[in-house]
């Protein structure tokens, strides 16, 4: 008997593997020589310069070498995949899918954008009776609930239109605002219907915007539970039935109870409420997680994910399928690295060649069973299940995969089930249970996605990464420096939460997963801290020593100068090769270098300190949603490739102070080399300062050249100058 055709195939780029390992080998040899050079100086009985700056620079070089070494695991065995959705079983044999969409603040996350994400999820090419869309509204806003009702009403027109003409861009806002390829539907019937649907969409937008203008945002910190299965009661049903009657996916609005007296655990808590509520309504075996601004850009993602979940060779251990985050609003400049190129083009494919990528907060199809720990197995006593999952008997029954409330809608959503879901979404339900610890999405970190994926891999689950040519999901990228850095603080804090806990991947992981996978998780969890500390050192100490005529690097005539030069050029050239091989350019490389330096001395530093203060009990955990509201002036500057420096002084002062320091060091270093003649001793430090200035010239431009609203304010420059003089005074005293 012939074996069935595979649902997917995996490709290994052997040439890339060989080149990556060769580069790593040569780079390691050079690092060994660097360590020998630094260590041998420390063993000398007499030293020409103070040991303090030498030790600090050496420590920085060791930390950078360590984080670089951890990152080699990503390049050990990168793979790519191809799927064959046409080989899937018939629709009646496909498993059901629940879609989880989370929103928290209608002011920062515009309702019309959230509803477009909801509509795109409802329009997925999947059996309607097996597709259930849940929206978690942590803001408890009547505006969002009104928007859901309007979205359902419009969906009764939009979904039949998409299915009849096989529309690829299933987000209506994107479809009507961009040039859609409609060559195959040039007939008058299609044109007429498209015009009609567009009018319906414009009417839908008007209703939502009117709800936003007239409605109240609600109290996001204190509100009761609201759970509603959305249905249309507008009286338009007859008209729609005459046009085209199709079965609609189930749409459910969930606003969990929130109270200042109870911990709510941010997005992780909202996801666990959706997990419980959906468990007693639809109980689908697979879950699609989406951010509220990450709409479905292609109708086939569910079928593509099922090519992995239904593969008999890997399905038993497969926890989730991760798609990349891609964005519709970044341009060719991408000055803030909004595309996250390194992550989705290098790190995730590299981990896929091990046991699978990290879990990202959006664009993943995760198996419900994987989130229930080991408590789905038969034979576990009821008392233990209640200690783990809470007191709800209905939810505990749902742990059996065969459980499902069939055809639950607004009419037959019984009072008993309504009350049960409200209990499951209450503040106190998780008290003295194992939610967020052993079951559900983890509460250990505000980066609940990263830590949950790590624990799943530790438990033996695997994951896969799939990056098709057409983006399956598109979101809104940050287009101004302020939002980029605030988002960076949250990410850095969440990652460091994990690295300084008992679950540190380098300590907790090796006994539970492969060493290479542990290295990947270790690099990701540690990089904010292990980049910010060395970067702060290397953009201040060599420059301070240069101003005082103290050499920290080998003379040009020394053989070890070649070692330092090789390491510097090796790292730069490898990064440039990776950028170009993934479709970038020299400008992309420059932008990534610049934003890496900026984030390291600002958001990564503040995020790391935030995590450490939380560990010491000096600060409470917080979660600030990323602003999704676009400012036209900021967008215009972004499209021109100009930095927008309208941000807090806590970000500007470090950046500007370091630029002033590097300008002073470069000028004084050149003068000193010419006047004194010891250019070979200080050449490396002058070169380092000039490199930092060239990469970050946009900051200098914002200080001196630009006069527009997005420039660096004079007050920030003045404050930075005071900080620079203070640092120079005390730093020189310590060095001398």
């Amino acid at each position: 008997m012939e074996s069935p055709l595979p649902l997917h195939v995996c490709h290994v780029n052997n040439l890339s593997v060989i080149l990556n390992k060769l580069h790593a080998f040569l780079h390691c040899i050079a690092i060994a020589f660097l360590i020998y050079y630094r260590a041998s100086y420390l063993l000398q009985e007499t030293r020409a310069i103070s040991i303090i700056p030498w030790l600090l620079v050496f420590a920085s070089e060791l930390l950078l070498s360590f984080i670089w070494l951890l990152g080699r695991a990503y390049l050990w065995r990168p793979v790519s995949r191809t799927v064959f959705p046409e080989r899937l079983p018939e629709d009646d044999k496909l498993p059901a899918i629940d879609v989880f969409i989370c929103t928290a603040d209608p002011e920062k996350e515009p309702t019309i954008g959230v509803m477009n994400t909801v509509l795109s999820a409802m329009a997925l090419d999947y059996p309607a009776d097996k597709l259930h869309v849940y929206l978690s509204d942590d803001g408890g806003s009547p505006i969002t609930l009104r928007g859901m009702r309007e979205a359902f009403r419009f969906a009764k027109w939009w979904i039949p239109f998409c299915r009849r003409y096989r529309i690829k861009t299933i987000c209506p806002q994107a479809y009507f605002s961009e040039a859609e390829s409609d060559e195959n539907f040039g007939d008058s019937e299609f044109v007429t219907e498209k015009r009609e649907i567009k009018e319906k969409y414009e009417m839908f937008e008007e209703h939502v915007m009117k709800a936003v203008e007239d409605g109240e945002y609600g109290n996001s910190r204190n509100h009761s539970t609201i759970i509603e299965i959305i249905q249309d009661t507008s009286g338009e049903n007859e008209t729609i039935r005459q046009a085209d009657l199709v079965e609609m996916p189930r749409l459910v609005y969930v606003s969990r109870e929130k109270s200042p007296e109870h911990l709510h655990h941010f997005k992780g808590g909202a996801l666990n409420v959706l997990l419980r509520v959906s468990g007693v309504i639809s109980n689908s075996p697979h879950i699609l997680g989406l951010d509220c601004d990450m709409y479905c850009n292609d109708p086939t993602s569910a079928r593509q994910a099922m090519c992995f979940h239904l593969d008999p060779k890997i399905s038993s251990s497969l926890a989730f399928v991760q798609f990349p985050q891609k964005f519709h609003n970044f341009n060719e400049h991408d000055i803030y690295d909004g595309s996250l190129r390194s992550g989705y083009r290098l790190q995730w494919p590299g981990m896929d060649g091990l046991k699978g990528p990290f879990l990202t907060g959006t664009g993943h199809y995760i198996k419900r069973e994987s989130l229930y720990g080991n408590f789905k197995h038969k034979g576990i006593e009821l008392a233990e299940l209640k200690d783990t999952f809470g007191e709800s008997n209905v939810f505990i029954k749902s742990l059996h995969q065969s459980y499902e409330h069939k055809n639950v809608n607004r009419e037959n959503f019984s009072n008993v089930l309504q009350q049960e879901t409200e209990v499951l979404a209450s503040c106190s339900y998780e008290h003295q249970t194992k939610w967020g610890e052993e079951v559900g999405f983890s509460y250990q970190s505000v980066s609940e996605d990263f830590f949950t994926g790590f624990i799943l891999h530790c438990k033996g689950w695997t994951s896969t990464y799939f990056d098709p040519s057409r983006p399956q999901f598109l979101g809104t990228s940050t287009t101004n420096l302020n939002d980029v850095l605030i988002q960076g603080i949250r990410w850095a804090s969440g990652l460091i939460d994990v690295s300084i806990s008992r679950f540190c991947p380098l300590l907790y992981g090796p006994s539970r997963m492969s060493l290479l996978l542990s290295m990947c998780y270790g690099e990701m969890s540690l990089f904010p801290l292990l980049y910010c500390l060395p970067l702060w050192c290397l953009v201040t100490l060599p420059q301070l020593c240069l101003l005082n005529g103290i050499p920290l690097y080998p003379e040009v005539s020394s053989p070890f100068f070649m070692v330092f030069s090789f390491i510097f050029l090796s790292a730069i050239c490898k990064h440039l090769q990776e950028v170009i091989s993934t479709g970038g350019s020299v400008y992309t490389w420059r932008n990534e270098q610049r934003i890496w330096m900026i984030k390291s001395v600002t958001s990564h530093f503040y995020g790391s300190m935030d995590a450490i203060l939380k560990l010491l009990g000096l600060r409470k955990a917080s979660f600030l949603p990323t602003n999704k509201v676009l400012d036209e002036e900021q967008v215009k500057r972004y499209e021109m490739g100009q930095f927008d420096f309208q941000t807090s002084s806590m970000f500007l002062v470090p950046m500007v102070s370091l630029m002033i320091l590097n300008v002073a060091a470069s000028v004084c270093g050149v003068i000193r080399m010419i006047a004194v003649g010891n250019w070979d001793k200080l050449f490396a430090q002058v070169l380092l300062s000039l490199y930092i200035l060239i990469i970050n010239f946009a900051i200098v431009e914002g200080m001196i050249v630009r006069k527009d609203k997005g420039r660096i304010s004079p007050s920030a420059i003045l404050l930075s100058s005071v900080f620079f003089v203070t640092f120079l005074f005390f730093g020189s005293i310590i060095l001398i």
Side-chain angles (χ1 to χ4, degrees):
M1 181 178 178
E2 294 184 2
S3 59
L5 293 172
L7 294 174
H8 71 94
V9 293
C10 181
H11 315 278
V12 181
N13 189 337
N14 291 316
L15 178 61
S16 177
V17 170
I18 294 171
L19 293 176
N20 290 336
K21 292 180 179 178
L22 178 61
H23 171 264
F25 176 72
L26 295 175
H27 201 83
C28 282
I29 293 175
I31 289 174
F33 279 110
L34 181 150
I35 294 172
Y36 172 79
Y37 171 78
R38 292 294 189 193
S40 61
Y41 179 83
L42 298 176
L43 298 176
Q44 295 177 9
E45 293 183 2
T46 57
R47 305 181 186 90
I49 64 173
S50 172
I51 196 173
I52 295 177
W54 193 275
L55 276 175
L56 290 174
V57 170
F58 186 23
S60 299
E61 291 164 347
L62 288 176
L63 289 177
L64 287 176
S65 298
F66 179 64
I67 197 70
W68 171 86
L69 182 63
L70 292 179
R72 296 315 91 194
Y74 295 120
L75 306 178
W76 194 258
R77 188 177 177 268
V79 302
S80 59
R81 298 180 184 272
T82 303
V83 297
F84 306 100
E86 66 276 6
R87 298 174 184 174
L88 287 170
E90 298 298 322
D91 285 1
D92 60 343
K93 296 182 180 178
L94 291 174
I97 295 174
D98 290 340
V99 182
F100 290 177
I101 303 170
C102 292
T103 185
D105 187 343
E107 292 188 82
K108 291 187 175 182
E109 299 165 339
T111 304
I112 191 67
V114 177
M115 294 308 116
N116 269 274
T117 300
V118 169
L119 287 164
S120 69
M122 295 178 71
L124 285 170
D125 178 21
Y126 210 73
D129 62 327
K130 297 186 176 184
L131 187 62
H132 319 279
V133 181
Y134 294 80
L135 177 72
S136 169
D137 176 21
D138 250 14
S141 172
I143 295 173
T144 307
L145 179 56
R146 172 76 180 276
M148 287 280 281
R149 293 167 180 162
E150 294 292 342
F152 188 86
R153 187 174 298 125
F154 173 68
K156 299 178 81 170
W157 297 87
W158 175 245
I159 293 175
F161 174 73
C162 290
R163 291 180 180 172
R164 182 182 303 115
Y165 297 106
R166 299 186 180 275
I167 302 299
K168 289 185 177 181
T169 303
I170 54 176
C171 172
Q173 188 176 50
Y175 179 75
F176 291 120
S177 63
E178 297 178 1
E180 174 71 11
S181 178
D182 292 330
E183 291 84 357
N184 296 329
F185 311 116
D187 58 277
S188 58
E189 182 182 352
F190 168 76
V191 173
T192 302
E193 187 167 355
K194 180 179 178 180
R195 187 183 302 114
E196 181 182 357
I197 298 298
K198 186 175 183 180
E199 291 173 357
K200 293 286 183 182
Y201 176 72
E202 290 171 351
M203 188 181 302
F204 156 71
E205 272 192 331
E206 288 179 10
H207 290 167
V208 173
M209 295 307 296
K210 189 175 187 303
V212 172
E213 292 171 2
D214 300 341
E216 297 181 1
Y217 285 108
N219 188 339
S220 62
R221 292 173 53 83
N222 190 5
H223 56 80
S224 58
T225 301
I226 301 175
I227 298 175
E228 181 177 319
I229 296 179
I230 307 296
Q231 285 191 300
D232 184 21
T233 57
S234 66
E236 291 186 3
N237 290 345
E238 289 300 320
T239 305
I240 293 172
R241 286 193 188 97
Q242 293 173 8
D244 192 352
L245 179 64
V246 297
E247 186 173 1
M248 298 285 288
R250 182 185 287 137
L251 183 61
V252 185
Y253 172 86
V254 178
S255 180
R256 58 175 171 152
E257 181 187 15
K258 292 180 75 175
S259 170
E261 289 77 32
H262 291 82
L263 293 173
H264 54 84
H265 301 293
F266 313 111
K267 185 179 177 181
L271 287 169
N272 283 337
V273 168
L274 289 181
L275 198 60
R276 294 193 294 270
V277 170
S278 66
V280 301
I281 295 178
S282 52
N283 201 37
S284 300
H286 299 95
I287 297 165
L288 166 61
L290 291 176
D291 282 344
C292 64
D293 67 320
M294 186 66 63
Y295 64 81
C296 300
N297 186 57
D298 188 277
T300 63
S301 68
R303 295 182 184 272
Q304 292 178 9
M306 289 306 115
C307 289
F308 300 102
H309 276 299
L310 299 183
D311 186 334
K313 295 181 180 179
I314 64 172
S315 61
S316 61
S317 62
L318 182 63
F320 60 91
V321 177
Q322 182 67 60
F323 288 86
Q325 280 184 292
K326 296 190 177 181
F327 306 95
H328 61 82
N329 65 324
F330 75 88
N331 59 16
E332 69 276 7
H333 300 293
D334 195 18
I335 54 176
Y336 303 120
D337 188 27
S339 63
L340 304 175
R341 181 207 58 84
S342 178
Y344 292 114
R345 300 299 297 274
L346 291 173
Q347 294 174 335
W348 269 250
M351 292 187 71
D352 197 17
L354 304 176
K355 284 293 184 180
F358 308 120
L359 179 67
T360 307
T362 184
H364 58 257
Y365 284 85
I366 190 167
K367 189 178 295 180
R368 181 182 291 267
E369 179 184 359
S370 68
L371 297 169
Y372 288 163
N374 298 319
F375 296 96
K376 286 201 61 163
H377 300 300
K378 295 180 179 180
I380 299 177
E381 295 183 359
L382 180 62
E384 184 178 356
L385 290 175
K386 288 191 173 184
D387 288 341
T388 302
F389 293 101
E391 294 294 325
S392 173
N393 290 321
V394 178
F395 180 76
I396 289 174
K397 288 180 182 178
S398 76
L399 297 178
H400 301 291
Q401 197 62 59
S402 58
Y403 171 91
E404 180 185 359
H405 278 288
K406 299 290 185 181
N407 300 319
V408 176
N409 54 40
R410 193 171 183 176
E411 283 73 28
N412 61 20
F413 192 37
S414 67
N415 290 332
V416 174
L417 192 56
Q418 175 79 49
Q419 293 173 4
E420 195 69 30
T421 55
E422 290 179 359
V423 169
L424 290 168
S426 65
C427 288
S428 58
Y429 183 80
E430 293 183 356
H431 184 58
Q432 293 185 339
T433 68
K434 295 179 181 178
W435 283 100
E437 296 177 5
E438 296 185 31
V439 295
F441 290 88
S442 174
Y443 298 155
Q444 175 69 29
S445 166
V446 291
S447 297
E448 79 296 322
D449 48 357
F450 173 80
F451 187 68
T452 300
F454 173 65
I455 292 300
L456 290 175
H457 279 120
C458 286
K459 291 179 178 179
W461 291 96
T462 62
S463 59
T464 61
Y465 177 69
F466 185 53
D467 184 10
S469 56
R470 178 180 172 86
Q472 298 300 293
F473 306 97
L474 285 175
T476 305
S477 178
T478 47
T479 55
N480 65 81
L481 187 62
N482 185 65
D483 289 343
V484 168
L485 297 182
I486 289 175
Q487 184 184 65
I489 290 177
R490 188 179 76 237
W491 288 353
S493 178
L495 293 172
I496 299 300
D497 281 341
V498 179
S499 66
I500 61 177
S501 71
R502 69 183 181 91
F503 297 101
C504 175
L506 296 180
L507 301 176
Y508 188 82
S511 62
R512 297 169 175 84
M513 61 175 69
S514 71
L515 177 61
L516 289 172
L517 196 58
S518 295
M519 289 171 63
C520 292
Y521 272 104
E523 194 275 345
M524 182 58 68
S525 66
L526 284 168
F527 88 86
L529 183 63
L530 295 193
Y531 277 139
C532 77
L533 296 179
L535 259 291
W536 262 106
C537 180
L538 293 177
V539 297
T540 55
L541 269 181
Q543 292 75 9
L544 191 59
C545 289
L546 180 58
L547 289 169
N548 288 275
I550 302 173
L552 288 177
Y553 295 96
E555 298 178 5
V556 176
S557 57
S558 168
F560 286 101
F561 180 81
M562 297 300 296
V563 172
F564 280 82
S565 300
F566 177 84
I567 292 173
F568 181 72
L569 293 174
S570 169
I572 287 177
C573 292
K574 179 59 178 170
H575 181 204
L576 181 59
Q577 176 267 321
E578 291 172 351
V579 168
I580 292 175
S581 67
T582 53
S585 65
V586 175
Y587 294 104
T588 307
W589 168 83
R590 189 271 314 272
N591 292 339
E592 290 187 7
Q593 288 276 312
R594 179 173 56 205
I595 201 66
W596 167 66
M597 293 182 189
I598 290 174
K599 284 184 176 180
S600 293
V601 299
T602 55
S603 56
H604 290 169
F605 176 76
Y606 292 129
S608 299
M609 294 304 102
D610 180 73
I612 293 171
L613 291 175
K614 285 187 291 185
L615 181 67
L616 297 176
L618 301 177
R619 181 176 171 83
K620 292 184 178 180
S622 61
F623 185 93
L624 188 63
T626 303
N627 184 23
K628 306 297 194 308
V629 180
L630 299 178
D631 181 275
E632 290 186 5
E633 288 189 14
Q634 291 179 336
V635 171
K636 186 177 179 180
R637 279 190 286 272
Y638 172 76
E639 290 175 347
M640 294 169 60
Q642 288 186 344
F643 263 68
D644 191 317
F645 292 105
Q646 296 181 91
T647 185
S648 169
S649 294
M650 66 181 284
F651 297 131
L652 289 177
V653 170
M655 289 190 294
V656 176
S657 300
L658 293 174
M659 286 302 100
I660 296 173
L661 174 61
N662 278 270
V663 168
S666 300
V667 173
C668 292
V670 171
I671 293 173
R672 186 182 293 275
M673 286 194 302
I674 295 172
V676 180
N678 59 346
W679 68 272
D680 58 332
K681 291 183 179 180
L682 300 176
F683 179 76
Q685 283 157 263
V686 173
L687 188 64
L688 177 62
S689 295
L690 288 173
Y691 176 75
I692 293 170
L693 285 176
I694 292 170
I695 292 296
N696 295 282
F697 183 73
I699 301 175
V700 179
E701 188 181 43
M703 295 165 55
I704 302 172
V705 180
R706 288 173 55 184
K707 304 299 180 184
D708 59 280
K709 195 175 179 181
R711 74 187 190 281
I712 298 174
S713 65
S715 60
I717 297 174
L718 178 62
L719 187 59
S720 302
S721 301
V722 173
F723 184 83
F724 160 70
V725 172
T726 305
F727 173 78
L728 183 63
F729 176 75
F730 286 104
S732 298
I733 291 176
I734 295 172
L735 287 178
I736 296 172

